[in-house]
Amino acid sequence: MSKKTTIVLFSGDYDKAMAAYIIANGAAAYDHEVTIFHTFWGLNALRKEETIKVNKAFLEKLFGKLMPRGTDRMRLSKMNFAGFGPRIIKHIIKKHQVMTLPQLITMAQEQNVNLVACTMTMDLLGLKEKELLNGINYAGVAAYLAEAEDGHVNLFI
């Protein structure tokens, strides 16, 4: 029986998403079956950077404009400094030759980490599948609970 790690990524902060993906990649390297369930602001980590034309109602369009598209537009949880903080942390990441969040997401996909977008939250925020990265899965909370029930490590970030 393999070990399972599940992570609920609720936060849309760059540093918290990065921590979730570092843990996920580490667990996958230790032969864990890993699922990251992206809900609410955590869905921003899965958004494509480019604008995708989709038909939406006014409030859905508003959410789409207010939420960052892609990981490079995500804020820091602390010391954001009106957007300057992410530039500083990305400079430090590069200086120390640490993988960036987009690289960690790609690595997770290569290690078969199950990236799941919460369909209920997508409906609430007006996000469509074509606005999110390719190669991810879509499910509700019941699917997450089924994974977490057998989980050896369950995290909420």
Side-chain angles (χ1 to χ4, degrees):
M1 179 180 202
S2 66
K3 292 188 177 186
K4 283 189 172 186
T5 295
T6 63
I7 300 170
V8 173
L9 182 56
F10 176 82
S11 175
D13 297 324
Y14 187 92
D15 48 329
K16 291 179 182 179
M18 192 163 174
Y21 274 90
I22 289 169
I23 293 166
N25 281 303
Y30 277 95
D31 294 323
H32 285 219
E33 289 180 36
V34 183
T35 296
I36 304 177
F37 186 76
H38 300 76
T39 189
F40 285 92
W41 317 122
L43 285 168
N44 291 326
L46 298 177
R47 287 188 77 192
K48 292 178 181 173
E49 290 185 23
E50 66 271 7
T51 302
I52 307 294
K53 295 276 186 190
V54 289
N55 191 17
K56 293 184 178 187
F58 174 75
L59 287 176
E60 293 172 334
K61 286 180 187 175
L62 183 61
F63 268 120
K65 289 191 184 301
L66 294 175
M67 296 185 322
R69 272 192 316 277
T71 57
D72 283 334
R73 294 188 178 139
M74 294 169 72
R75 302 171 44 94
L76 291 181
S77 61
K78 305 283 184 218
M79 297 185 288
N80 193 58
F81 301 130
F84 193 64
R87 288 189 212 151
I88 295 170
I89 198 71
K90 289 172 189 172
H91 171 75
I92 293 169
I93 287 169
K94 186 177 180 178
K95 179 180 175 185
H96 291 277
Q97 300 176 356
V98 174
M99 294 180 84
T100 63
L101 181 52
Q103 291 170 325
L104 289 167
I105 292 171
T106 298
M107 177 186 254
Q109 288 179 308
E110 290 169 355
Q111 294 195 85
N112 296 316
V113 171
N114 184 19
L115 305 182
V116 180
C118 176
T119 52
M120 184 203 70
T121 304
M122 288 175 63
D123 289 343
L124 290 174
L125 301 179
L127 291 172
K128 309 297 181 202
E129 286 185 21
K130 64 183 181 177
E131 294 179 274
L132 302 182
L133 299 176
N134 297 326
I136 63 172
N137 296 306
Y138 300 89
V141 69
Y144 164 74
L145 290 172
E147 290 289 320
E149 187 171 43
D150 297 329
H152 295 85
V153 178
N154 297 299
L155 303 172
F156 187 92
I157 299 175

